[in-house]
Amino acid sequence: MISPKLQKIWYGGDYNPDQWSEEIWDEDMRLMQLAHVDAVSVPVFSWTHLQPREDQYCFDWLDRVLDKLAAAGVYTCLATSTAAQPAWMSRRFADVLRTDITGVQRKHGGRTNFCPNSPNYRHYSRELASRLAQRYANHPTLVAWHIANEYGSHCYCERCAKAFRDWLKVRYGSLDALNAAWNMAFWSHTLTAWEEIDTPTLNGERNNMPYLLDYERFQTESVLACYRNEYDAIKQYTPEVLITTNLMGHFKPLNYYAWAPYLDVISWDSYPTPNQAPSEVAFTHELMRGLRDGQPFMLLEQTPSQVNWMPRNQLRRPGVMRLLSYQAVAHGADTVMFFQFRRARGGPEKMHGSIVDHAGHEHTRVFREVQALGAELQQLGDALVDGRQQASVALLFDWENWWAIDLSVGPSVDLDYIASCKAYYAAFWQANIPVDVVRPDADLSSYQMVVAPMLYMLRPGVAANLSEFVARGGTLVVGSFSGIVDEHDLATQDGYPGELRPVLGIWVEEHDPLLEGQQVPVRSEPWGRLTGNYQASVMCDLLHLEGAQGRAWYDGEFYAGMPAITENAWGKGRALYVAAEMDARLLSDLLLTLCDQHDIAPCLAAPAGVEVTQRSKEGVQVTMLLNHGKQEAVVPLDAEYRDLLSGEPVQGNLKLAPCDVRILQRL
Amino acid sequence: MISPKLQKIWYGGDYNPDQWSEEIWDEDMRLMQLAHVDAVSVPVFSWTHLQPREDQYCFDWLDRVLDKLAAAGVYTCLATSTAAQPAWMSRRFADVLRTDITGVQRKHGGRTNFCPNSPNYRHYSRELASRLAQRYANHPTLVAWHIANEYGSHCYCERCAKAFRDWLKVRYGSLDALNAAWNMAFWSHTLTAWEEIDTPTLNGERNNMPYLLDYERFQTESVLACYRNEYDAIKQYTPEVLITTNLMGHFKPLNYYAWAPYLDVISWDSYPTPNQAPSEVAFTHELMRGLRDGQPFMLLEQTPSQVNWMPRNQLRRPGVMRLLSYQAVAHGADTVMFFQFRRARGGPEKMHGSIVDHAGHEHTRVFREVQALGAELQQLGDALVDGRQQASVALLFDWENWWAIDLSVGPSVDLDYIASCKAYYAAFWQANIPVDVVRPDADLSSYQMVVAPMLYMLRPGVAANLSEFVARGGTLVVGSFSGIVDEHDLATQDGYPGELRPVLGIWVEEHDPLLEGQQVPVRSEPWGRLTGNYQASVMCDLLHLEGAQGRAWYDGEFYAGMPAITENAWGKGRALYVAAEMDARLLSDLLLTLCDQHDIAPCLAAPAGVEVTQRSKEGVQVTMLLNHGKQEAVVPLDAEYRDLLSGEPVQGNLKLAPCDVRILQRL
Amino acid sequence: MISPKLQKIWYGGDYNPDQWSEEIWDEDMRLMQLAHVDAVSVPVFSWTHLQPREDQYCFDWLDRVLDKLAAAGVYTCLATSTAAQPAWMSRRFADVLRTDITGVQRKHGGRTNFCPNSPNYRHYSRELASRLAQRYANHPTLVAWHIANEYGSHCYCERCAKAFRDWLKVRYGSLDALNAAWNMAFWSHTLTAWEEIDTPTLNGERNNMPYLLDYERFQTESVLACYRNEYDAIKQYTPEVLITTNLMGHFKPLNYYAWAPYLDVISWDSYPTPNQAPSEVAFTHELMRGLRDGQPFMLLEQTPSQVNWMPRNQLRRPGVMRLLSYQAVAHGADTVMFFQFRRARGGPEKMHGSIVDHAGHEHTRVFREVQALGAELQQLGDALVDGRQQASVALLFDWENWWAIDLSVGPSVDLDYIASCKAYYAAFWQANIPVDVVRPDADLSSYQMVVAPMLYMLRPGVAANLSEFVARGGTLVVGSFSGIVDEHDLATQDGYPGELRPVLGIWVEEHDPLLEGQQVPVRSEPWGRLTGNYQASVMCDLLHLEGAQGRAWYDGEFYAGMPAITENAWGKGRALYVAAEMDARLLSDLLLTLCDQHDIAPCLAAPAGVEVTQRSKEGVQVTMLLNHGKQEAVVPLDAEYRDLLSGEPVQGNLKLAPCDVRILQRL
């Protein structure tokens, strides 16, 4: 439970009172109560208001805001406001503004526009966090801390260069070790002094993958250090209050696996595109939930209606906001919060939807939908809070692997790690089989099946982890283009897939990238659900069996007859290799065959488009049904349930209108 | 009349004798006379020739050129040559070269490559203009002044930053006022010192719309100050001679409305693309003519054959140059001039068409067409000169509104202000109903109908101006996405369309941007010409009636049944709202219905593709017919006319070949 | 013969032992012998290994490598390793790193990342070459020198600016002459001091074509000076050993015609795209062979399997590597070499194919194919070495013309010089008619037919060379958009095609660029193979006959009836003009008609897709047949031959499987 003060699914959003005159604040309180808002993030961007000068802090206005919130029964996720430093700070201290990838220092403006290794930024952000914590430690509204906002920008300044060299000295110990790890003999790039290492700006070295990978790791840690700097300051005053910062799903610049240990609770901002497949949204919830071993997370931002930064910011259709809110809950969210409460009059996000629109009143479609959902969440109480999902299937995801695939020059620009992960995930999602998304070195002992799409980089211990999982009886499915490099992007010398070669019982000799739009037929003899003809795309691995048996074969090109799917018995388990990106039908037929063989069954049989998930706590299981389809769906229930929203018992054929959601507890 | 010395439609173009040896000048005089050229712009780019060193001026060569022109009977639009400063000046004075949007100072080269706030540029350009004016004030060839050339480049240097801060101090008085106007509390951007304001280079603040809008305003004024600097110098010597600079239609970097008061006569350069709709060309002529309340303008540049800067510079087909020349005259041009007289041997415009081609003689298709048109314009004399168009319909256009729409992040990249203006205009053009294009705060008392496409920004007084127009009996048509922000891009708090909400009798609750290629059906019950099914595109405003009545309704999406066109009675008039970008047929049916109701009739009924305009002076009306179609067209005349080119009387069915033009005076 | 030590087609590739531990070297020797490798380029990128500090050189490791190679019977093309300077050098000397076109100095990294006018780069690269030459002059493995690698990057630094000014002073003598040649009066760019000339960075002058052309010439010479600097040093020690550097086909930044005199033997790197037309590959071989008057060249790099830098790096299908290797030999290669021997573990080229793959052994498809070809080349011995092709047709190619066309602003972005050259070439290639690609000022006396596609720029003497060729009886075919400018990109004043107007007997009045996708019909009355209807594209020249006769005419647009192909008798020969880019069938019908009239016949009649070439020496002719088609092809032989690979006699109908190659010597 995030806070004992608020034992329900939190409901609210970002609140920016300092953009408004104080007269409006009372109206805000009225509207919050009307909308059943009980939690707000405040003050997300107010550093200049809180500290208008180097030597002056002003908290009185915030005192008044928090007191009003307290009076209105609204709790606060207290934000530290450090994502955008004051203009006076950018101007006063040369080290504060970051240098972008072009090598040019930014001017003041925007947000996350600071160098993460800036001493002055570190000093003043810690100071502000510390003062806020000291002042509001015992404020009745305080239920959580929210540090900065959507961290992410990298810096390439001279100061970062120096810090990077220090980081490398610790990591490698000697230049010789670094030269070896980075394969610097290539193009005679061998370093003879640490000072020869600079930042990888666009006018610098952009073709040295190990170097670029280490720079990403270094920046991830540098930005994290800014977060931890505030975290440590706050913990001194409020050791019991959970601290977070809002993440952004599969956001590439930061390896969130490095961050997760320092977030007391994961929170994230979910902004799917219009018409995005619901399985993709679900995948990202799994990824975020997986950061802290399945612990429930906070949906800290979503839009009630539309965003402003897409090319065409379509309105969420009636019912869609509710559907997507419950989808987050269905996958582990214990809060439903919006960006933002009241729509800004000016600035880049002026066109971003909000609970309260520019018109300023409650008589809008959006407000009414928000209000109705708020009432439902009150009705639900703590029925779902702290509930956990249980999965027999794990899908591996790794930021560093993603970076490395995208940095690789060749073999194909069509290799898309995220798309591949989502394709494997979708096969399970469509069958309503729960999946956890976990890191490759996670403890896999609770799973029966593990899927590793495009695991190009095998970091130390990963192959052993997977091999042991198989040896103990698990089923491992490895995607194409796996086992190519180590953590420094150095290719294996043991034949692809390198350390996975024994467990998979195959040797991949060559990779054949397909031309644009090209597909290669694949055929399978009947095996479980797998049979007949399929299509491979993107790139075909050409492999030889070394103990494994073929389950499907290429049926075209000069490698017709070569295996396209293999299965290898290993210890008490088995390991399969899928040698190309495959069409959705093949993935579904293959993965559900494996599920059948493990007796891994859906939460509940449901027609296509109806998502079913389960969360349970203290032995009580709550089942959620969400109709993502455009038509009414009928779900035959397997028992008698109580509908937690209506309070009524339900059984037999349950009808769900499009966008409708049911939350059922088995009687 | 531009000059009493030359009481006909001027004919000629840019002349650059200093690119040629003096032997060629005499041949030029022969060819000018052959082509009936009687006016040239000279010397457009000759600063280094006129001032080869800081302390040396050379006018003797220009004396000889002007004397030869005088002898050949050619008048001069004397140019000040200040659009491209000499290389020595760029090198000698650090303040002269401009800094581009990347924040990097340009090297010497190109044109309009000076900082508009450069003291040295200002000093030397004024000095040159002054000396030219003093020297040639009484030269017999002088008929007009042409300052610099195609102004437009913006600067982002430190000097501009300082000047911008000074400009802001005057505009806002205090930082508090500026912080409020710019909504700087957003992302805590609140300024605490003027020095925190810099120029909006690409490494700077590009997300603060009020700031960016003010920078555009400031640069428009800075560049205008360069023009006015020369203007004032020249006026001292030749107070009677009109001064201009060549504009470029809907050219985005400069708000020409701020310039118009300082141009004694509007001149502009018309370069339509091949196959550009003739209504689009006409729209731009109306826009230019509207800058000075309908006063006739100068067509200062067009190409006789082809340009060089388009991707594929198709030749103008035979007859097209004549057709487009007369189209300019039909919409108010009192000159027909070309870029340029003799084609340059080298440089970026080497491939740009000219009256005299590289081959250097008159035996070309292009020369013959130019020569024939020259003879016709001599024949026409002053029949059209000073003639004015009369329109009952005004279409509003506003540069700042355009800037603001394009700066807005969201709701849709498909919002296209220029395209929307042209779409409304085209409906009238196709029916040959005269339209003036005017600014939103123009005096509207002479119009019966006013159309305001996509009037996103309501600057102070505009809503009152439009409301009063309606109250006095006018018909106002407002396009979608109107009434959203004030002049600082701050959203209205009164419900869209803000100050226009009363007169329109509607409230727009939401905007639904359509996905790429998406359309939404619209249906109308019969009302005038309006009936049946149409299509909305780009974005649909979802609105509620507050006194208005629906005239058409959405017929799809979740807002099916909501009004898509509304009409509201207000005072003696009425105001309509068109809630989306609509297909051309709907705009035509709607607008012509309104014209019918006002008895606004075409100049002359003519088949599709035949443009008809009228210019009149001293009670005499001249009607021009232009066949833009690919087939012969037959126009039934409503009376007997005299054909001013043939001198013959015409009546009954008048046949026009493709590209043909008739200029008729009613007998 | 490149070296008397190795009198066969050299076989091998780039070898980079310093990227590997010494234990691997012995395995490399074993694998080289297994693959029949007898020549390697070493050490291509090893500067830091050879000179780890300013004052320290280390050759002992290279000694050991060369001794091992000698023991294994492998010869070396000794490389100077100067394409990538050590990091310490970049850091120590401010002049070494180059400044790119943005005006920003590069950081260390990549390759060819030095300023070609850097004194320190020049000093140290010469010193290294000199020491290598001194040390290994008499090493038994030495068979050739390979300086640096794939030269090409340009620099825009202050030092280059100064060197450019010095270069211009020599070229033009005076500023007046330069102002005239560069037409600087345009836009008043007239220079008044040499110091006003800077480098053409992106923030500088990019619209002055003569200036940009001269900067390309200057950079070509600057980079060449780096090569010559090492060349001269090496020649002192090994005057008999041929020196080269690897070129890159039609590589735009360097005018290889300026380089060819200083390459003792041409070598180049051939990397066709998958599915590239074999005629395009052949064209580039002809271009490279033509650099030194048909002297056999070195294929210094190709991939055995796939590259890494294309978007999708498809594998070469079985047999394709052999086919393309023999195609190079068929067009004049005396070596077949690969990049590279052993695949790098890390770095940007990690995914580039190699003889020995990451797996490190010989049991791969690629190794087996390489090994089999090695055996064949041993079998062939010196049968083809030093053999020359004989051609009656020459096709003109000119780098400066290419630069000038691409720099021109207008008339059409679709003008594509390389595509036009390849289109004309393909017509001959499909008919197996040998073609030499030569420079426009080459000695043409041995040819019967000369084709000059898109000869926009006529440098001094070119028109006379072509006119004399015709006068002496030759047939000249000139493509559209020819004879427009001189070597300074100044347009002719004599009517296009300028100096070619007399010999062609035409005057081109106008150019009509076609809109995207537009074509114009062309019709021809029967003349040889030419008859019926064709299509013109890209741009149509509108021309008048001045003595020539029409052979085909436009059949559309306003110029229907104007000549599209003309033929003019001149002296003992004739000159034809092709007034637009024409479809492949027209080019084939026209050019083969002209061949028929000259009795220019194919090497051997063969079905479509079968390439036939001949190389001869000392009166013995070897015929090569290559089946590029997807089906088996049957070639009726005209006599009895011996198959040099099988040793068997062949006659009658010869069958070639897809990708198969036969090398035949007439009995």
Side-chain angles (χ1 to χ4, degrees), chain A residues 194-257:
Chain A
W194 290 102
E195 289 67 28
E196 290 158 18
I197 301 172
D198 206 333
T199 58
T201 46
L202 293 182
N203 67 323
E205 179 54 83
R206 296 293 309 169
N207 276 314
N208 183 325
M209 286 75 205
Y211 161 65
L212 296 174
L213 279 170
D214 272 344
Y215 201 77
E216 293 298 297
R217 291 174 178 126
F218 162 72
Q219 282 289 322
T220 278
E221 291 185 23
S222 297
V223 179
L224 174 56
C226 293
Y227 169 84
R228 292 182 59 186
N229 180 48
E230 296 189 40
Y231 181 97
D232 293 344
I234 293 167
K235 274 291 173 202
Q236 291 181 20
Y237 298 99
T238 59
E240 305 300 322
V241 182
L242 303 197
I243 305 178
T244 192
T245 187
N246 47 343
L247 308 183
M248 290 177 278
H250 43 80
F251 175 70
K252 199 169 166 190
L254 297 180
N255 177 357
Y256 286 152
Y257 286 142

Side-chain angles (χ1 to χ4, degrees), chain A residues 428-468:
Chain A
F428 297 105
W429 184 89
Q430 280 152 11
N432 286 311
I433 291 171
V435 174
D436 285 343
V437 176
V438 303
R439 43 195 300 168
D441 50 2
D443 175 2
L444 303 172
S445 57
S446 66
Y447 301 108
Q448 298 183 62
M449 198 187 311
V450 167
V451 179
M454 209 180 285
L455 197 57
Y456 165 78
M457 173 185 280
L458 290 180
R459 291 192 287 114
V462 166
N465 193 37
L466 297 179
S467 300
E468 281 162 30

Side-chain angles (χ1 to χ4, degrees), chain C residues 459-472:
Chain C
R459 290 190 289 114
V462 166
N465 193 37
L466 297 179
S467 299
E468 282 162 29
F469 166 76
V470 175
R472 288 194 308 258

Side-chain angles (χ1 to χ4, degrees), chain C residues 628-640:
Chain C
H628 295 279
K630 304 275 187 206
Q631 269 81 42
E632 184 185 78
V634 180
V635 181
L637 296 181
D638 54 350
E640 196 174 357

Side-chain angles (χ1 to χ4, degrees), chain A residues 183 188-189 196 199 201 203 205 207 410-414 456 489 491 493 496 509-513 515 557, chain C residues 46-48 87 91 104-107 109-110 275 306 308 311-313 315 317 345-346 348 350 358 363-365:
Chain A
N183 196 44
S188 203
H189 284 186
E196 290 158 18
T199 58
T201 46
N203 67 323
E205 179 54 83
N207 276 314
S412 172
V413 296
D414 293 331
Y456 165 78
D489 201 56
Q493 303 297 292
Y496 319 126
E509 182 184 339
E510 298 186 87
H511 303 109
D512 189 41
L515 300 182
E557 292 301 326
Chain C
S46 308
W47 197 340
T48 314
R91 182 161 162 261
V104 175
Q105 190 174 33
R106 307 285 309 169
K107 294 179 177 177
N275 302 329
Q306 67 197 142
N308 70 298
R312 295 160 191 87
N313 300 282
L315 289 170
R317 272 44 196 148
R345 286 196 68 192
K350 179 188 69 209
H358 284 147
H363 307 296
T364 64
R365 176 183 73 90

Side-chain angles (χ1 to χ4, degrees), chain C residues 118-173:
Chain C
S118 155
N120 279 298
Y121 175 79
R122 293 265 184 105
H123 167 75
Y124 282 105
S125 58
R126 183 183 181 108
E127 183 65 23
L128 180 59
S130 185
R131 287 178 183 243
L132 284 165
Q134 186 173 13
R135 188 174 193 96
Y136 299 113
N138 300 308
H139 199 283
T141 67
L142 178 65
V143 287
W145 284 99
H146 168 9
I147 292 177
N149 189 71
E150 293 188 345
Y151 279 109
S153 304
H154 288 183
C155 180
Y156 298 82
C157 72
E158 279 303 309
R159 187 176 306 272
C160 282
K162 187 180 176 314
F164 182 45
R165 289 191 287 266
D166 293 342
W167 184 88
L168 291 169
K169 284 174 194 167
V170 171
R171 186 173 173 90
Y172 293 102

Side-chain angles (χ1 to χ4, degrees), chain B residues 143 184 363 547 580:
Chain B
V143 287
M184 294 299 268
H363 308 295

